[in-house]
């Protein structure tokens, strides 16, 4: 809903949506867009290989650029839309590829819009955490090279560190 509200408030008339097969199959974005803005045109494309490639740490690679191009070239050309919803939490991690391949598309990140809405609600209800004396701790049962690469990418602009704690079985 937060993403759809933003798209509608920006006056978008023709919108592309990329997401997983399940999300596209449910037409959750299309239904909500048409409910809030009757007459809006919605074009959907499932991009199932993008998530596993991201989870393997292959975001900034030629294979990812080719995968994005594979799913989107005809989709963008045939749809003729200028606005694109990144309907999966993983997809902002390949927004650079999308922008370089389709520079005229305006992208909407479902993740960013949900975060903005959550922050707004928390602030309005005086529930927004302002900091803590506690240290965040994250536990992982496996520290593969891909996992480390992914956390390094996600937390590149922070002092985040991850440590493996070996648990007894």
């Amino acid at each position: 809903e937060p993403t759809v509200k933003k798209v509608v408030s920006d006056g978008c008339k023709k919108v592309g949506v990329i997401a997983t097969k399940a999300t596209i199959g449910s037409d959750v974005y299309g239904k909500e867009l048409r409910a809030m803005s009757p007459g809006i045109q919605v074009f959907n494309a499932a991009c199932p290989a993008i998530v596993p490639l991201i989870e393997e740490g292959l975001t900034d690679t030629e294979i990812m650029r080719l995968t994005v191009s594979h799913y989107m070239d005809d989709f963008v050309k045939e749809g003729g839309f200028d606005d694109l919803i990144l309907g999966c939490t993983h997809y902002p991690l390949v927004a650079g590829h999308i922008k370089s391949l389709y520079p005229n598309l305006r992208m909407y990140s479902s993740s960013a819009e949900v975060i903005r809405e959550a922050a707004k609600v928390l602030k309005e209800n005086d529930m927004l955490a302002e900091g803590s004396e506690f240290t965040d701790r994250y536990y992982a049962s496996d520290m593969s090279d891909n996992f480390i690469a992914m956390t390094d990418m996600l937390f590149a602009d922070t002092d985040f560190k991850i440590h493996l704690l070996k648990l007894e079985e």
Side-chain angles (χ1 to χ4, degrees), residues 4 20 27 32 37-39 43 47 53 62 66 68 72-73 79 103 121-122 124 133 137-138 140 144-145 164:
V4 170
T20 63
D27 193 32
E32 194 69 23
S37 180
F43 304 86
C47 305
L53 289 172
E62 181 65 9
L66 290 169
V68 169
M72 294 189 57
D73 281 352
V121 169
L122 290 170
E124 287 172 353
E133 62 194 60
R137 293 182 182 197
Y138 302 90
S144 68
D145 290 342
L164 178 65

Side-chain angles (χ1 to χ4, degrees), residues 99-115:
K99 194 66 175 166
S100 70
L101 290 165
Y102 318 100
N104 296 324
L105 283 181
R106 177 170 47 174
M107 288 183 275
Y108 292 86
S109 165
S110 59
S111 302
E113 296 307 324
V114 168
I115 290 167

Side-chain angles (χ1 to χ4, degrees), residues 1 8 12-13 29 39 70-71 73 86-87 90 115 135 145 150 156:
E1 187 176 308
V8 170
C12 302
K13 301 295 181 203
Y29 285 99
H70 167 76
Y71 287 124
D73 281 352
L86 307 179
H90 289 63
I115 290 167
T135 301
D145 290 342
M150 182 62 63

